Amino acid sequence: MFAFNLLLAASLLFSADARPATTSSLAGSSSVTRVTPLGIAVGVLDPDGAYRFPVKYGSAARWQPSTVATSWGLPTGASTAAGLPLTCPQNDADPSTFTEDCLSLILYVPPSFNVVTAAPTLVWIHGGSFIVGSATDPGLDGSKLALATNSIVAVIQYRLGTLGFMAPNNQTNLGLKDTVTALKFLRTVLPSFGGSPSKITLAGQSSGASAIRALLGTPSAASLFRSAILQSDTMDYGFLGTSTQATLVSSFAAELGCGSSSSCLNALPLYKILNAENDLINNAAGLDAAAGSVEPIRPVLDGTFLTSPLDSTAPFPSVSKPILVTTVLNEAGPAIYGASSLTANTLSADTFQLVCEGGFGDVRAAAILNSPFYVVSGTDARVQLQTLGTDQVWRCPSWTFSRAWVQNGGTAFVGQFVVGSTYPANAGLPFCAQAGVVCHQDDIMIVFGTAPNPTSAQATLITQMQAHYKAFLASGNPNAAGVPAWTAAGTSDVHPLVLGGSGEVAVAACTPTFWGVMPTYDYQVFNE
């Protein structure tokens, strides 16, 4: 499995979704207080105009479920309200920047809000392949987004990697359950900031969107939010099966060397856990092909917390929440053009064929190579490989998911970004710097309005997207006066809106009769 995605692995894990240097603090002054049921909340005026409140929303012992905070407290790493939280532990980060006591969030609140406002809240779940990232990643300052959408924006952190998803004591989905803890905390405190507990929309990008999809398949979380926005979800991978999860946990636990001793597990230094995590990521595909090489640490379909795969491998449940599902034009660009084996070389048509056959197997490769969608027409087949990766991992499974969502009672709006703002992780890739190219993560600073020195096209799209999001947060429908009409998806035609252009996206390979039928998705091939 995922031989094709080996071309994606290095970039998706350590470039496109990798965490650039975070910001330990932001300038802030003019402190403000709010009285909450959990105590006095102290915030500061963010440079971009909203009040910013950092807070610890929960706590958890190592490899145990988190519990909701019972008092308002500053995050670890923030000595005053002007400070920001340390991140959750993750590889390739300075240990001084992270802590296990990391269950924190940052609230961005418009100054005009008071306790009777009853505004909606956007809860952002960061990406990072479930192994890196934080609430302080570049571009995630929610001040401008809060002001533009007349909402509260909450950016949350959750346990990552093996600490969040590979517990040796067989606890499952701890990082995902942390997001539920954060939602419960927010429902308690939002009225104190002018927010309505019944008007919460989840939003996230990449693995953050995958986490939201998992929460959509978690019945116990259904009452905690009313709508969802999924940006660039890697839906092709699906969730881990229980036997794959058990295999990975067994290998990880063996390297830790503690057996079932809780005292030994609790005494392990973080560096040893992170080293074992890194080994697990590198070896996962060899341990069980269903894990894959790109995002082997991810939510598990455990049947108790996460109960539905929300794909074509099991009956799709009845649904009702409105969702907004987007991708970007060149999702696979960082992986294909950032891969060390391809950076300085073109890719011949013959090699393209070999890559397809090696990655998909003969049957799926034949369907791809005999289709009209990926015909090599130039001297460099990386063009077709990038399109293929974008279609397989992101665009087509997102459309398949959206059609299923509508078929089973929900409302979906689908779009594709053709204008973006280069994310710091993509800044060193010439491909992503080209005009007209929008790489994975390049939608983040458009949505948040944090694009540096935006061009006219970027500024226009920022205004449009924030107007769409404002309408969606308020009503579950992104249509608003003065912005392009967004047609809801149907059961066969998802009506994907061009975001940053005009009209609808050409269907191409994302027709209902190709991906998922002729060449199957990875979750179909490796479902357990």
Side-chain angles (χ1 to χ4, degrees):
M1 179 193 185
F2 293 101
F4 166 73
N5 285 329
L6 286 174
L7 293 172
L8 306 181
S11 182
L12 289 182
L13 285 174
F14 303 113
S15 188
D17 259 321
R19 178 206 64 263
T22 57
T23 304
S24 60
S25 65
L26 294 174
S29 58
S30 303
S31 65
V32 62
T33 60
R34 293 284 188 272
V35 178
T36 82
L38 305 181
I40 302 297
V42 181
V44 296
L45 184 64
D46 186 88
D48 288 319
Y51 284 120
R52 187 178 76 242
F53 295 85
V55 63
K56 183 185 298 184
Y57 68 77
S59 59
R62 181 178 288 177
W63 287 312
Q64 295 297 329
S66 55
T67 57
V68 181
T70 56
S71 62
W72 187 278
L74 292 174
T76 302
S79 57
T80 70
L84 294 175
L86 294 174
T87 72
C88 292
Q90 47 201 278
N91 270 300
D92 299 321
D94 184 336
S96 68
T97 66
F98 59 66
T99 176
E100 283 193 73
D101 185 23
C102 62
L103 301 186
S104 303
L105 61 82
I106 306 170
L107 282 179
Y108 296 88
V109 183
S112 61
F113 284 10
N114 57 52
V115 294
V116 298
T117 302
T121 296
L122 182 149
V123 178
W124 182 266
I125 302 178
H126 69 78
S129 296
F130 294 109
I131 59 172
V132 296
S134 74
T136 54
D137 280 350
L140 298 190
D141 184 313
S143 186
K144 290 181 178 179
L145 182 59
L147 294 173
T149 57
N150 199 38
S151 69
I152 294 171
V153 172
V155 185
I156 70 173
Q157 299 184 163
Y158 50 97
R159 281 175 287 180
L160 301 168
T162 50
L163 288 165
F165 295 91
M166 292 287 161
N169 59 8
N170 297 316
Q171 294 277 354
T172 59
N173 293 314
L174 290 173
L176 195 61
K177 292 173 182 176
D178 292 340
T179 66
V180 170
T181 298
L183 291 173
K184 291 177 178 178
F185 174 86
L186 286 169
R187 287 173 67 88
T188 298
V189 303
L190 282 175
S192 302
F193 298 89
S196 169
S198 64
K199 299 178 182 178
I200 292 176
T201 295
L202 299 184
Q205 187 269 349
S206 196
S207 60
S210 299
I212 294 169
R213 176 163 43 91
L215 292 173
L216 289 169
T218 300
S220 61
S223 65
L224 300 177
F225 62 103
R226 69 173 184 176
S227 55
I229 300 172
L230 296 85
Q231 298 177 210
S232 299
D233 186 353
T234 53
M235 293 191 187
D236 173 70
Y237 304 150
F239 304 127
L240 288 179
T242 52
S243 65
T244 300
Q245 171 83 0
T247 297
L248 298 184
V249 168
S250 177
S251 176
F252 173 62
E255 183 165 349
L256 294 181
C258 284
S260 60
S261 171
S262 59
S263 60
C264 175
L265 290 171
N266 289 333
L268 286 170
L270 273 175
Y271 80 84
K272 185 168 184 178
I273 295 172
L274 293 174
N275 286 343
E277 175 182 309
N278 194 53
D279 289 342
L280 179 66
I281 292 168
N282 291 333
N283 298 327
L287 294 168
D288 189 319
S293 59
V294 177
E295 196 173 82
I297 296 177
R298 58 187 189 271
V300 57
L301 186 64
D302 55 16
T304 54
F305 179 73
L306 174 51
T307 62
S308 173
L310 294 180
D311 60 29
S312 59
T313 65
F316 208 96
S318 297
V319 295
S320 59
K321 296 182 189 296
I323 62 172
L324 197 155
V325 181
T326 64
T327 57
V328 304
L329 182 62
N330 308 104
E331 295 277 13
I336 302 306
Y337 289 88
S340 59
S341 61
L342 296 175
T343 300
N345 301 295
T346 59
L347 187 72
S348 69
D350 289 343
T351 304
F352 176 75
Q353 178 176 339
L354 292 174
V355 168
C356 289
E357 291 171 347
F360 293 99
D362 291 344
V363 175
R364 289 204 292 171
I368 291 166
L369 294 168
N370 293 329
S371 77
F373 303 119
Y374 310 108
V375 176
V376 178
S377 57
T379 59
D380 188 358
R382 287 182 299 179
V383 175
Q384 286 72 33
L385 190 60
Q386 191 284 134
T387 302
L388 174 56
T390 294
D391 286 351
Q392 178 214 358
V393 178
W394 290 276
R395 192 168 77 107
C396 298
S398 292
W399 292 20
T400 298
F401 169 78
S402 299
R403 288 190 291 264
W405 192 264
V406 175
Q407 289 164 4
N408 289 278
T411 303
F413 296 87
V414 178
Q416 177 178 284
F417 286 84
V418 299
V419 170
S421 176
T422 302
Y423 201 70
N426 295 331
L429 294 174
F431 174 80
C432 295
Q434 294 181 88
V437 170
V438 187
C439 286
H440 190 67
Q441 289 190 297
D442 288 352
D443 52 336
I444 293 174
M445 294 193 293
I446 294 293
V447 167
F448 275 79
T450 50
N453 304 311
T455 64
S456 175
Q458 290 171 334
T460 297
L461 184 57
I462 288 169
T463 299
Q464 291 178 353
M465 290 309 301
Q466 292 183 338
H468 283 310
Y469 277 31
K470 179 179 181 180
F472 187 77
L473 295 178
S475 67
N477 187 317
N479 285 290
V483 293
W486 201 329
T487 304
T491 57
S492 58
D493 186 347
V494 300
H495 299 290
L497 183 65
V498 176
L499 304 174
S502 60
E504 295 185 356
V505 180
V507 175
C510 293
T511 171
T513 59
F514 191 66
W515 273 108
V517 177
M518 300 296 287
T520 45
Y521 297 122
D522 283 322
Y523 66 70
Q524 294 171 299
V525 175
F526 296 96
N527 178 63
E528 300 177 34

